[in-house]
Amino acid sequence: MPIPPEVSTPPFLFEAILYAPIDDTSSTAKIGNGIIFFTLYKKEVAMWDSLTLPNANKEKLQYLRENAVLKAHEKAKEETEAKKVTKQEHKKHALEATMKLEEAERKRIEDLKEKERQKVTKELELWKKQQKDAEKQKTVQKEGELYQVEQLKEKKKEKINKTRIPNEGTSKTRLKPTKGYGSYSMFSENLKEEQLPAPRSAATIRINFTSRVFPTALRESCIAEEEEWLRKQAEARRTISVDLSELEDLKEEEKNPDWLKNKGNKMFATGNYLAAVNAYNLAVRLNNKLPLLYLNRAACHLKLRNLHKAIEDSSKALELLTPPVPDNENARVKAYVRRGTAFCQLELYTEGLQDYEAALKIDPKNKTIEKDAEKIRHLIQGTTEDS
């Protein structure tokens, strides 16, 4: 037969009838086979004269039992309160431990953000330096070209002047001093008459004007820049940036950058930004000279929160959207706005405001861009006041 379990014995069952108090904590009872076996320990080591109280009548035993029950209830209440206090202390300790963990995690995230911000700032400074160096190089190159043009003009002018200077003998035969003046006059009556050629016969000359690609008036246009822009776009259309043998598995239309651009636009319109990025990526592999591919891919990266890639694509689009002509104004405005939006989402509000202001210079009547630029100014002012 298995050993029955030990159970704690309520002290009031024995203190009411036993000769002296017992240790209720150490005392046990075993129950099994219809029998209860009690093991009782005395509170004080001493020899008892009897097991039960001597001369205890019924009223006294009843009183002792009731008193024992009250003591048991009070002790149970104290134990409950003690457990409650212990539980509250455990909860408090757990809460403090959780708060410490959350604080450590928050600090870790702040450190990561700070590192990322420093990284972005360094990359931005490097990019600005590269842009400044490129602009400086372009300026030096343009100055050199202008100098060469001026030299050619000077040489041409000298050549024309040489051809126009008459020799001394001819001047003597053609011109004669006017009375009272020390100079020659072509209207003088004293000029020696020369034999003049016969008048030209009258005729009608037909002139055909080539239609202009750009809508602006000729006096307001920069013909050289517009022709350069058209030439760059034509060359970009003919450019193939990848070996087509690498793309043998693609269909014929999938090797066309324009077809891929239109497909990416449709994917973007349906909200499938990852698929749109893939379409633009393949189009860029086929032709890396088309600015609209980078411009549209920057919009996808903004939606996907790939902010650094959005900045890179917008900058590349602006690099290809040169020279600045009316035909690419809309694209340049979008590129500046998208790059400025990415900067602002990285909390680089000063750089973002610069791009928004550059867009406003191109399109000063755009109220939406003007309102967004004003919001960025308020953010910068608020950040300055907080610091």
Side-chain angles (χ1 to χ4, degrees):
M1 185 176 102
I3 299 174
E6 294 185 354
V7 298
S8 178
T9 306
F12 62 87
L13 295 177
F14 300 100
E15 287 184 325
I17 59 174
L18 294 177
Y19 181 81
I22 63 170
D23 186 358
D24 59 300
T25 304
S26 302
S27 299
T28 60
K30 294 181 180 179
I31 305 172
N33 199 19
I35 301 172
I36 301 176
F37 182 77
F38 294 103
T39 304
L40 306 177
Y41 295 90
K42 301 175 182 178
K43 279 191 176 181
E44 296 180 359
V45 180
M47 184 66 69
W48 291 0
D49 295 335
S50 63
L51 184 60
T52 60
L53 286 172
N55 302 322
N57 55 23
K58 188 176 182 180
E59 288 79 8
K60 187 175 181 179
L61 292 175
Q62 182 67 26
Y63 170 76
L64 291 174
R65 286 193 188 93
E66 292 175 356
N67 193 25
V69 170
L70 289 175
K71 288 182 179 180
H73 286 171
E74 290 177 357
K75 187 173 182 181
K77 187 176 180 181
E78 291 174 358
E79 290 178 352
T80 303
E81 291 294 331
K83 288 180 180 179
K84 187 176 180 181
V85 172
T86 304
K87 188 176 181 180
Q88 289 178 348
E89 290 178 353
H90 288 169
K91 283 184 178 180
K92 184 178 179 182
H93 179 71
L95 181 61
E96 290 177 352
T98 304
M99 290 176 66
K100 287 181 180 179
L101 290 174
E102 290 178 351
E103 179 66 20
E105 182 66 15
R106 187 188 64 78
K107 186 177 180 182
R108 187 183 69 83
I109 293 172
E110 289 294 331
D111 291 341
L112 287 175
K113 284 184 177 180
E114 184 62 27
K115 289 180 181 178
E116 187 68 20
R117 191 178 291 110
Q118 292 177 359
K119 181 181 176 182
V120 171
T121 304
K122 288 181 180 178
E123 292 177 353
L124 182 61
E125 291 296 330
L126 179 61
W127 176 81
K128 284 184 176 180
K129 185 179 179 182
Q130 292 174 351
Q131 291 292 106
K132 191 179 290 185
D133 293 341
E135 289 292 333
K136 189 175 180 181
Q137 187 175 359
K138 286 181 180 179
T139 303
V140 172
Q141 186 176 357
K142 285 185 179 179
E143 289 178 354
E145 292 175 355
L146 289 173
Y147 178 75
Q148 291 179 359
V149 171
E150 291 294 331
Q151 290 293 323
L152 290 174
K153 286 183 178 179
E154 288 293 332
K155 288 181 180 179
K156 189 175 180 181
K157 190 175 180 181
E158 289 177 2
K159 188 175 181 181
I160 292 172
N161 290 336
K162 285 180 181 179
T163 58
R164 286 182 178 177
I165 297 174
N167 55 39
E168 188 178 351
T170 306
S171 66
K172 287 182 178 178
T173 57
R174 288 191 176 185
L175 299 176
K176 188 176 181 181
T178 306
K179 292 180 180 180
Y181 295 91
S183 60
Y184 295 97
S185 174
M186 62 185 297
F187 301 104
S188 173
E189 295 178 357
N190 297 325
L191 284 174
K192 185 181 289 184
E193 293 184 0
E194 297 179 357
Q195 188 174 359
L196 299 175
R200 295 179 182 177
S201 58
T204 302
I205 300 175
R206 293 173 177 258
I207 300 175
N208 296 324
F209 295 96
T210 305
S211 59
R212 287 178 50 72
V213 177
F214 297 95
T216 54
L218 180 61
R219 63 181 176 274
E220 299 174 0
S221 300
C222 301
I223 298 176
E225 286 81 356
E226 292 175 353
E227 290 179 351
E228 182 183 355
W229 167 251
L230 293 174
R231 179 181 57 76
K232 286 178 65 177
Q233 292 303 296
E235 290 179 356
R237 294 291 178 188
R238 295 192 296 268
T239 301
I240 300 296
S241 305
V242 69
D243 187 1
L244 292 178
S245 61
E246 300 177 4
L247 307 172
E248 293 179 353
D249 297 335
L250 297 179
K251 298 178 182 178
E252 194 61 33
E253 63 268 15
E254 292 177 346
K255 298 177 184 179
N256 186 349
D258 288 330
W259 185 88
L260 290 168
K261 178 174 73 69
N262 294 333
K263 183 178 180 181
N265 295 346
K266 292 177 182 178
M267 294 294 181
F268 182 88
T270 59
N272 193 352
Y273 306 121
L274 285 174
V277 168
N278 291 333
Y280 295 136
N281 287 344
L282 182 54
V284 169
R285 285 185 62 193
L286 290 168
N287 192 332
N288 58 5
K289 300 295 183 182
L290 297 177
L292 291 183
L293 296 178
Y294 296 97
L295 187 60
N296 293 356
R297 192 169 66 178
C300 295
H301 286 315
L302 272 179
K303 292 290 186 180
L304 296 171
R305 301 284 298 172
N306 298 331
L307 303 178
H308 294 93
K309 292 184 178 180
I311 293 173
E312 290 177 5
D313 280 349
S314 300
S315 302
K316 183 64 176 179
L318 287 170
E319 180 183 336
L320 294 173
L321 288 167
T322 53
V325 293
D327 192 49
N328 58 28
E329 280 184 357
N330 189 34
R332 284 185 286 126
V333 168
K334 289 181 180 179
Y336 278 121
V337 169
R338 287 170 188 173
R339 191 172 70 179
T341 302
F343 279 135
C344 289
Q345 291 183 9
L346 287 170
E347 297 183 4
L348 299 171
Y349 300 116
T350 304
E351 291 77 5
L353 180 59
Q354 291 175 357
D355 280 341
Y356 269 86
E357 288 177 343
L360 277 174
K361 287 181 180 178
I362 302 171
D363 188 7
K365 295 182 180 180
N366 194 314
K367 298 298 181 183
T368 303
I369 299 177
E370 187 176 357
K371 289 180 181 178
D372 292 341
E374 190 63 28
K375 290 179 182 178
I376 298 171
R377 291 190 191 96
H378 288 317
L379 285 174
I380 294 173
Q381 291 174 359
T383 306
T384 306
E385 291 174 358
D386 292 341
S387 61

